[in-house]
Amino acid sequence: MLSGVPQGSILGPLLYTIYAADIPQSNKTIISTFADDTVIFTTHPYPTIASANLQDHLHSIENWTRKWRLKINENKSKHITFTLRRGQCPPVYINQTVVPQAETIKYFGLHFDKRLTWKNHIATKRKQLEHKTLEISWLIGKHSPLSLENKLLIYKAVLKPVWTYGIELWGCATKSNIAVI
């Protein structure tokens, strides 16, 4: 498109919300949008029917994007099947391009894996904690002149948000996965 708003502008999210307010809905899927990120969920005991429901909704969204001259970035699109069963759902397509199947997917800073074990998410958070701890070790380490009260404040402001983000979801992970944190 030859028009738009600057990335990060204050009005950008509001204008996009107004622009995309008529995005097609389906009674067989759930659509969730945040700014220009869109997720479509569907559930069914039979994988072929779940994929067909998802594909129908994707076709209506393709038509909608053509009408409003929006471009879907197929390279950023992923398809994940949450199940304990073996195998995958049949493929789905956007603009005749196969949406690649993924074992894990990142959404709003949470790493979902296909079995919802949270192993990848917790391992990622552990790495982030190690990195941040190294960055501030001079402030919170043994040789720091800061009081314990100030060290605790730094911990609560810098480290605790890393490992508690999304804990309502991943807090049900196995004890062995949570022990990693």
Side-chain angles (χ1 to χ4, degrees):
M1 293 188 86
L2 300 175
S3 60
V5 293
Q7 182 77 24
S9 72
I10 294 171
L11 277 179
L14 174 65
L15 293 174
Y16 182 81
T17 301
I18 293 168
Y19 192 77
D22 65 339
I23 193 167
Q25 304 289 323
S26 169
N27 60 358
K28 296 177 182 175
T29 61
I30 298 169
I31 190 166
S32 175
T33 59
F34 181 79
D36 62 344
D37 285 339
T38 302
V39 175
I40 304 170
F41 301 95
T42 187
T43 182
H44 201 279
Y46 298 104
T48 52
I49 295 173
S51 286
N53 292 341
L54 182 58
Q55 189 63 65
D56 288 343
H57 196 170
L58 287 173
H59 283 311
S60 64
I61 289 175
E62 287 173 14
N63 294 332
W64 177 81
T65 58
R66 275 193 293 281
K67 174 184 173 186
W68 292 111
R69 298 182 191 167
L70 291 171
K71 170 101 172 79
I72 296 174
N73 189 342
E74 291 94 357
N75 297 328
K76 288 186 174 182
S77 300
K78 300 251 193 278
H79 176 211
I80 188 166
T81 304
F82 298 111
T83 186
L84 295 175
R85 297 178 187 168
R86 294 192 186 273
Q88 298 286 342
C89 281
V92 292
Y93 300 84
I94 298 176
N95 298 324
Q96 290 85 40
T97 303
V98 174
V99 178
Q101 291 269 350
E103 296 289 314
T104 63
I105 198 157
K106 184 178 176 184
Y107 188 61
F108 289 136
L110 295 168
H111 298 263
F112 294 87
D113 62 272
K114 69 180 188 173
R115 299 200 187 281
L116 295 177
T117 64
W118 301 101
K119 186 175 182 176
N120 183 272
H121 175 79
I122 292 169
T124 302
K125 291 299 162 191
R126 174 62 189 247
K127 286 179 187 172
Q128 287 177 341
L129 282 170
E130 288 171 357
H131 180 71
K132 287 201 179 282
T133 302
L134 281 174
E135 285 179 340
I136 63 170
S137 63
W138 63 278
L139 276 175
I140 62 173
K142 285 190 250 179
H143 304 295
S144 170
L146 289 178
S147 68
L148 185 57
E149 185 179 344
N150 285 334
K151 289 178 181 181
L152 187 59
L153 282 173
I154 292 170
Y155 163 79
K156 287 179 179 178
V158 177
L159 296 176
K160 190 175 179 183
V162 171
W163 69 265
T164 58
Y165 179 73
I167 198 169
E168 299 84 2
L169 294 174
W170 65 262
C172 63
T174 63
K175 289 182 181 182
S176 60
N177 280 338
I178 292 175
V180 171
I181 291 286

